[in-house]
Amino acid sequence: MNLDGIRVLDLSRLLPGPYATQLLAEMGAEVIRIERPGDAQSGPTLESINRGKRRVALNLKTEGGREAFLDLAATADVVLEQFRPGVVDRLGVDYDAVREVNPGIVYCSLSGYGQTGPYSDRVGHDLNYIGLAGLLDMTRQSEDETPRVPGYQVADIGGGLFAALSIVGALLSRELGAGNQNRNGVGDQADVDNDATGEYIDVSLTDAAVSFSQAVAPRALAGGDPRPGETPLTGQFPWYDVYPAAEGYVTLAALEPHFWHAFCEAVDHEEWIEYHMTSDPAELETLREALESLFKTRTRDEWVSFFEGVDAAVGGVYTPAEMVEHPQIVARGYVAGGAAVGEGEPPPPVVGFPARGTDIDHDGPTAVAEHGDDTESVLQESGYEEDALEQLRASGAIPE
């Protein structure tokens, strides 16, 4: 997982695209955020996913800004954009324009509904996407309840994750193609690089959320109608549900018979074992009521301690503040204090790259640059002299 030497130009903002490029940065890529002058992300929540990124302020609506971007694109491996479909074409920084200066570019467009289809031009946010994807409908216990807004942005994060995965896959395809050419004796590396074939990637946040429907979509595709609270993983069965404790909430996920058996033995109710996977409504209701009464006899933390060492699939429900301090999360080492993002503001927790491995930088980037901090240094590295920079300033392509 070493992307050292890979340069990514990030035209995205808010959460999905910056999350994708944060993953790439944590894998070692050099990420350069291209931001509109004066349009910094607001607040520590969003700034925290700009860790380790260089930040360049360019006005792409000016000729100088567009040309400067294409000069940078000529040196890049990846471009990620998150505009509405058609915007990059109007700005002159679309895939075809970038490919003219860099045939080997991996260009990813990340949008709410994708580049095609009747919804492609619609605006939206995570709530709209998960509403279309069927997820929002399944967030309630029954159809009598109003769908509940999830605590995390599922489509935004899922789309960012799919974008990062697709980009890494495209980079690998490019490298494998170059390697095959070399192994076949077709030219040297310089020839291969000059003839490199790029790749265009279209990632939809809605499609990412739909992809997460693996447990319910097959039933829908077969002509069924999965309803909230009536599928095995949404509350149909009392052995897979959330229960109020004397204080807090407890999760029970004893889907497999051996987990249920261990649970029943631990709580001295072996008579419940035979009801596992019953479809009888009366038996299900009786068992659920018994479990509700049982879990109210101890607090969440008492139940978690009680089941320590018992393979019963019992856990606690934690707040985000509890989560970042939980011993299991702390032990994994990817959540830690980050860099300060504002005058007098305490550093927020940084949620880093969650995978562990021998070739992963477990520390990851922590510093957050200010808006436009790296504009001149990045352009200078691309060959811009002071007089050229002054022309860009004068034209409004970069900040004064």
Side-chain angles (χ1 to χ4, degrees), residues 40-382:
Q41 302 239 61
S42 59
T45 299
L46 293 178
E47 285 294 347
S48 67
I49 55 174
N50 287 326
R51 304 183 309 277
K53 301 177 184 179
R54 306 178 74 184
R55 302 178 69 169
V56 171
L58 281 181
N59 185 352
L60 297 179
K61 293 182 178 180
T62 66
E63 183 64 23
R66 186 187 75 86
E67 290 180 357
F69 173 81
L70 292 176
D71 287 339
L72 293 177
T75 71
D77 299 279
V78 177
V79 170
L80 183 145
E81 63 93 2
Q82 195 185 307
F83 296 107
R84 290 175 68 180
V87 172
V88 289
D89 301 88
R90 294 194 294 272
L91 292 173
V93 295
D94 55 285
Y95 175 54
D96 288 337
V98 172
R99 192 170 56 170
E100 284 186 11
V101 299
N102 187 345
I105 197 71
V106 173
Y107 193 108
C108 179
S109 292
L110 182 60
S111 61
Y113 299 103
Q115 303 296 305
T116 58
Y119 273 31
S120 60
D121 287 331
R122 288 199 180 194
V123 299
H125 279 298
D126 189 87
L127 193 62
N128 306 116
Y129 311 141
I130 64 172
L132 175 57
L135 171 61
L136 199 58
D137 177 66
M138 301 296 286
T139 60
R140 47 191 171 155
Q141 291 185 322
S142 73
E143 290 184 283
D144 296 330
E145 296 182 355
T146 300
R148 303 179 183 183
V149 180
Y152 297 157
Q153 288 70 43
V154 180
D156 285 355
I157 292 295
L161 181 61
F162 274 102
L165 174 64
S166 300
I167 287 168
V168 171
L171 291 171
L172 179 60
S173 294
R174 191 180 70 178
E175 294 305 310
L176 289 175
N180 288 336
Q181 283 186 291
N182 282 335
R183 285 192 293 273
N184 293 334
V186 182
D188 57 21
Q189 186 62 47
D191 293 331
V192 172
D193 289 343
N194 289 337
D195 296 333
T197 300
E199 184 169 342
Y200 179 77
I201 304 166
D202 170 11
V203 176
S204 154
L205 304 181
T206 302
D207 294 347
V210 169
S211 179
F212 294 156
S213 69
Q214 303 296 331
V216 295
R219 185 184 300 184
L221 290 168
D225 187 20
R227 305 311 304 131
E230 298 179 8
T231 68
L233 301 180
T234 63
Q236 177 184 11
F237 297 130
W239 46 81
Y240 191 92
D241 213 336
V242 179
Y243 291 93
E247 181 181 324
Y249 293 86
V250 176
T251 57
L252 172 63
L255 282 175
E256 292 81 2
H258 58 282
F259 290 160
W260 179 243
H261 195 121
F263 172 83
C264 294
E265 285 188 338
V267 297
D268 293 325
H269 281 287
E270 294 185 32
E271 73 275 12
W272 293 347
I273 293 175
E274 64 178 293
Y275 298 114
H276 194 243
M277 291 301 173
T278 180
S279 58
D280 182 87
E283 291 178 347
L284 290 172
E285 184 60 28
T286 298
L287 183 57
R288 188 180 299 278
E289 291 175 355
L291 288 168
E292 289 174 348
S293 297
L294 172 71
F295 281 116
K296 289 178 181 177
T297 63
R298 300 173 188 256
T299 67
R300 176 199 68 185
D301 292 345
E302 288 171 342
W303 280 119
V304 171
S305 296
F306 178 86
F307 281 102
E308 186 174 350
V310 180
D311 288 340
V314 175
V317 175
Y318 299 92
T319 68
E322 291 174 319
M323 173 270 290
V324 297
E325 296 181 350
H326 192 282
Q328 173 60 32
I329 305 303
V330 172
R332 294 292 289 169
Y334 61 93
V335 176
V341 294
E343 191 70 29
E345 296 180 13
V350 170
V351 179
F353 198 79
R356 309 287 85 188
T358 55
D359 194 27
I360 298 174
D361 181 1
H362 293 165
D363 293 329
T366 57
V368 179
E370 294 291 333
H371 173 70
D373 264 1
D374 305 294
T375 303
E376 296 193 6
S377 62
V378 169
L379 291 174
Q380 287 169 345
E381 291 169 10
S382 297

